[in-house]
Amino acid sequence: IAAGAGTIKHKESAVGKHTYTLSCTASQGAIQSAPVVVDVAAELQDVHIKTDADLEAVAGVVDIAGSLTFDAGCSITSLDPLKDLASVGNDLDYQCAGVASLTLPALAHVGGSLVVHGNDPTLTDVHLDALVDVGADVRLEDEPKLTTITLANLATVGQDLVVSTYDYTSYPDAFDFDTCELLANPLTLPFLSDFEAPELTTIGRELVFEDAGELTNLTLPKLASTGASLILAGVGSQANEATTIALPSLTQTGTVFVVQNQKLATLDLSALQTTKADAAVDDYEAFPAVDPRDPLFHVYVTVIFGPCGPGVGAVHTGDIQICANGADQFDNSSLTTLKLDGLDTVGGTLVLTDLPQSSFDFPALESAFGIALVDDAALTSFTAPALTQLGDGFLDGSATPLLT
C-alpha cells in the first residue's frame, strides 16, 4: 500500500483505544511502524441502564443504533460516561433516579422518541443543548422537582412535543361526567419555571403544555407550524405573577385549545394564519378503542370537558377555543392581550368565551366555519372587515349582551 493511500481493516470490537504496530518483512529485511492507536466505538444496539456499572460498560460510546433505556428502578450517580454520545437511532427513555442534572452535552440526534419521566425527587434540570432533531415524540413529564428544561438547538420534533401532562390512561373513561373530575393520575411538572427551545421551528403533530403551574413565560420565537394541535392548559396557573405565552412565528396548526391558564395575561399568536379541519378526526366515534397516545387525542379533548363549561361544546379540528368561564377547567380570566392579527382562515369555529376584553378585532379574517362569542360580558365591539365566508357555521353573539 502506498503511503497514505490505503486502509488496513482490523477486527477489534471492544470499545476503547487499541495500540497496533505494523511490520513488514522481506528479503531486504524488516521495517516496523511507530505505534498506531485505533479508537474503537463499537456500534451498539439496544442499551439498558440500571446502575453506574452499566454506564461504565458503554463509556465513550458515540452512537447507539437502537434504543437507550434507563429502566424503571434505575439508580445512578453520574452521566459522565455518556458525555460523547451523539446519536441514538431509536428511543431514549430516561426514568432514573440519583442525578440532579440530566445533561448529555454531545447528543444531537434521536431517531425515535425522547422521554423523560419516572417521578425522580432528585432531578431539577434537563439540559440537552446539542440536540437538533427528534424523529418522533419529545415528552417531559412526571418529575416533581424539575425546574429547568433547555433545548438550545432543537429545531425539529417529528411528532408531539408534550411538556407536563395528564395521563389519560383509559380515554374516555378517565373522566367522570357527573362530577367533571379527571380520574387519571397527573404527570405534571409542578415546579417547572424555565423552558427554552429558541431554535424550534417544526412540530409534526401536537404541542401540549398542561399544568406547568410555575411557568410564567412560554416563548417559542421560531416555531412556524404544528401539524395537529396546540394545547395550552394550566400554564403558570400557580405562579405569583402574570403569564405570557408567545408563539409569534406560528403560521399554521390544526386546533388551538387554551384553557385553565388563570394567570395568563398575554397570548401572542400574531402570525397565525390558518387552522385546518379534519372531518375524519371529528368523527371520533369512528375510531376503534382510542389510545390516549393517539396522535390526535387532544384535538377532541373537550368531548370530555364540554359538559362542564356552559356554552362550550366539543372541540373539533380547526377550532380556536379560548375560554374563561370562571370554572377551574376553563379560567383564562386574566387575559388582557390577545394577538391574532394575522388570522385568515379558521377551519373550525372561533370560540371566545367569558373573556374580559371589550373589543375583538380580526383584520385579516376571511373565512371561518363558525364564530361563537359566549358570555363575553364586557364585549361591545367585534370587527372582522375582511370576513366573507362562514361556511355552514354560524355567527353567535346572543349570550354577549353589550355587543351591538
Side-chain angles (χ1 to χ4, degrees), residues 9-79:
K9 294 184 178 181
H10 65 89
K11 296 182 179 180
E12 183 60 69
S13 60
V15 175
K17 295 181 178 181
H18 305 271
T19 302
Y20 296 87
T21 300
L22 305 181
S23 61
C24 179
T25 303
S27 58
Q28 298 94 333
I31 58 174
Q32 183 171 291
S33 73
V36 175
V37 177
V38 177
D39 194 353
V40 177
E43 183 179 78
L44 299 179
Q45 297 299 320
D46 293 341
V47 174
H48 288 263
I49 303 297
K50 293 184 179 179
T51 66
D52 285 333
D54 295 329
L55 282 171
E56 289 297 336
V58 295
V61 64
V62 174
D63 300 304
I64 294 175
S67 294
L68 173 58
T69 304
F70 292 79
D71 293 323
C74 162
S75 179
I76 59 175
T77 60
S78 173
L79 285 164

Side-chain angles (χ1 to χ4, degrees), residues 194-280:
D194 184 15
F195 179 86
E196 300 176 23
E199 300 299 319
L200 184 61
T201 59
T202 304
I203 297 173
R205 298 192 310 206
E206 293 186 338
L207 171 62
V208 179
F209 274 76
E210 291 183 316
D211 294 285
E214 294 293 333
L215 186 64
T216 59
N217 190 319
L218 173 58
T219 299
L220 300 173
K222 294 185 179 181
L223 182 64
S225 66
T226 66
S229 51
L230 169 62
I231 312 298
L232 303 169
V235 177
S237 58
Q238 304 301 317
N240 293 320
E241 58 187 271
T243 299
T244 295
I245 298 175
L247 309 177
S249 299
L250 185 70
T251 59
Q252 65 178 20
T253 187
T255 303
V256 178
F257 183 53
V258 183
V259 298
Q260 200 181 347
N261 304 289
Q262 290 92 339
K263 303 296 177 63
L264 180 61
T266 300
L267 176 60
D268 183 356
L269 301 173
S270 52
L272 184 63
Q273 298 173 2
T274 304
T275 65
K276 295 183 178 180
D278 186 332

Side-chain angles (χ1 to χ4, degrees), residues 250-328:
L250 185 70
T251 59
Q252 65 178 20
T253 187
T255 303
V256 178
F257 183 53
V258 183
V259 298
Q260 200 181 347
N261 304 289
Q262 290 92 339
K263 303 296 177 63
L264 180 61
T266 300
L267 176 60
D268 183 356
L269 301 173
S270 52
L272 184 63
Q273 298 173 2
T274 304
T275 65
K276 295 183 178 180
D278 186 332
V281 176
D282 288 331
D283 187 16
Y284 68 93
E285 292 181 355
F287 282 74
V290 177
D291 187 324
R293 293 163 296 180
D294 185 287
L296 300 168
F297 170 67
H298 278 97
V299 299
Y300 41 81
V301 69
T302 54
V303 170
I304 301 174
F305 283 130
C308 302
V312 181
V315 167
H316 298 279
T317 56
D319 282 2
I320 298 176
Q321 293 217 11
I322 302 173
C323 314
N325 68 356
D328 286 344

